[in-house]
Amino acid sequence: MRTEQRIYSDQAELYALAFAYRDVDDEVSRLVGWARDFAGAEPQAALELAAGPADHALEFARRGARALALDLSPTMCRRAQESAAAAGVSVEVLCANMVDFRLARPVDLAFTLINSLAHLHTLDELISHFAAVREALAPGGLYVVELAHPGDFLGRGPRSTGVSQPWQVERDGVTLTTRWGLADDPYDPVRQLFSASVEFQVARDQAREVVHATVVMRDWTLDEIRAASRLAGGLTEVACFGDFEGGPVDGPDAWRAIFVFRRAP
Ligand SMILES: C[S@@+](CC[C@H](N)C(=O)[O-])C[C@H]1O[C@@H](n2cnc3c(N)ncnc32)[C@H](O)[C@@H]1O
């Protein structure tokens, strides 16, 4: 059984701030649009898997859906509960493993964002995950998975796996500069595991603090994702996009890989 990666318990606040640059409202609108396109209706119940701060689940709750957020880290689960209470919305928070969770009532949309499937390190875990998602979905329900684009880690040029340029987020008097991975961080090519060294530089008033962590991430190819979903059964790929705007995954501007799967009606 996988144990939680410490960055999500020890550095939950910094993680949340580092990724606060995303346009959650827009991404949720895209998810709703895909539900309309591929399931024929807006989701009444939505589940964010590996939810972390659960910002997307919170947005679904704000829009009136039954919202659920699942995460392995008790710290992240607590944070999600506190954020929901502060926002005055209801989110059902489940502290569970996305490999083998079960819901009491099915949802019509499940989603796993920002490459969180990289936290599943083996094929067996991935297949079991797809089977659990299938069981969590109502007939005709959708599963949306956002992954790193394969161009980030495949090819014969210099390796760029998971390595990003440092980025900065400023909020409430705190400036956070995040670096996620270095080109020469350890890589296990047999298991496709990248041990990304993460650095958070926090500047608050005159004080400066640097926090280091390591996150072990599995590179999943698109066909491995497809194969695992087929082995699990009951899910059909209905789209694969290269970004949230719905561009093609093999287009020149593609920078993410976003699958949409549908459970058989
Ligand atoms: C990239 S972060 C959060 C992603 C969040 N949905 C977002 O969009 O910012 C990944 C999260 O996955 C959680 N996680 C890692 N392995 C997990 C597992 N096996 N089951 C459930 N959650 C897991 C971590 O605790 C962490 O909060």
Side-chain angles (χ1 to χ4, degrees), residues 146-170:
E146 181 197 9
L147 297 156
H149 192 276
D152 287 354
F153 55 86
L154 290 178
R156 299 201 182 274
R159 168 157 298 284
S160 63
T161 299
V163 178
S164 59
Q165 291 299 314
W167 73 92
Q168 213 167 62
V169 176
E170 291 183 35

Side-chain angles (χ1 to χ4, degrees), residues 68-166:
L68 297 86
L70 179 148
D71 201 280
L72 190 59
S73 156
T75 312
M76 281 297 192
C77 290
R78 235 181 352 262
R79 198 182 185 288
Q81 260 151 354
E82 287 166 5
S83 302
V89 295
S90 167
V91 175
E92 296 169 40
V93 179
L94 306 163
C95 209
N97 195 330
M98 63 177 156
V99 169
D100 54 10
F101 68 99
R102 276 183 186 279
L103 298 185
R105 282 193 293 152
V107 292
D108 33 32
L109 173 69
F111 55 93
T112 304
L113 301 182
I114 202 145
N115 204 29
S116 297
L117 284 196
H119 294 308
L120 304 185
H121 292 175
T122 68
L123 184 60
D124 284 344
E125 286 181 332
L126 188 63
I127 296 168
S128 169
H129 167 74
F130 274 113
V133 171
R134 179 197 63 223
E135 293 308 305
L137 287 174
L142 293 188
Y143 181 35
V144 177
V145 185
E146 181 197 9
L147 297 156
H149 192 276
D152 287 354
F153 55 86
L154 290 178
R156 299 201 182 274
R159 168 157 298 284
S160 63
T161 299
V163 178
S164 59
Q165 291 299 314

Side-chain angles (χ1 to χ4, degrees), residues 163-248:
V163 178
S164 59
Q165 291 299 314
W167 73 92
Q168 213 167 62
V169 176
E170 291 183 35
R171 187 163 288 182
D172 302 329
V174 178
T175 304
L176 175 64
T177 309
T178 305
R179 191 208 67 218
W180 199 281
L182 288 171
D184 58 357
D185 280 341
Y187 194 85
D188 177 342
V190 172
R191 294 170 188 80
Q192 296 167 209
L193 291 176
F194 177 56
S195 296
S197 62
V198 177
E199 184 183 273
F200 295 120
Q201 286 185 32
V202 193
R204 188 184 282 115
D205 302 325
Q206 301 305 317
R208 234 173 130 263
E209 187 193 1
V210 181
V211 176
H212 292 277
T214 302
V215 183
V216 181
M217 301 165 70
R218 164 86 189 221
D219 290 330
W220 290 110
T221 67
L222 301 191
D223 277 348
E224 286 169 340
I225 294 290
R226 292 185 173 110
S229 70
R230 289 181 202 175
L231 282 165
L235 292 169
T236 304
E237 178 186 335
V238 291
C240 185
F241 298 118
D243 52 39
F244 268 99
E245 286 72 50

Side-chain angles (χ1 to χ4, degrees), residues 30-52:
R30 303 283 176 183
L31 293 171
V32 170
W34 290 332
R36 256 189 248 116
D37 293 347
F38 297 112
E42 294 195 6
Q44 302 301 305
L47 165 66
E48 180 169 8
L49 289 159

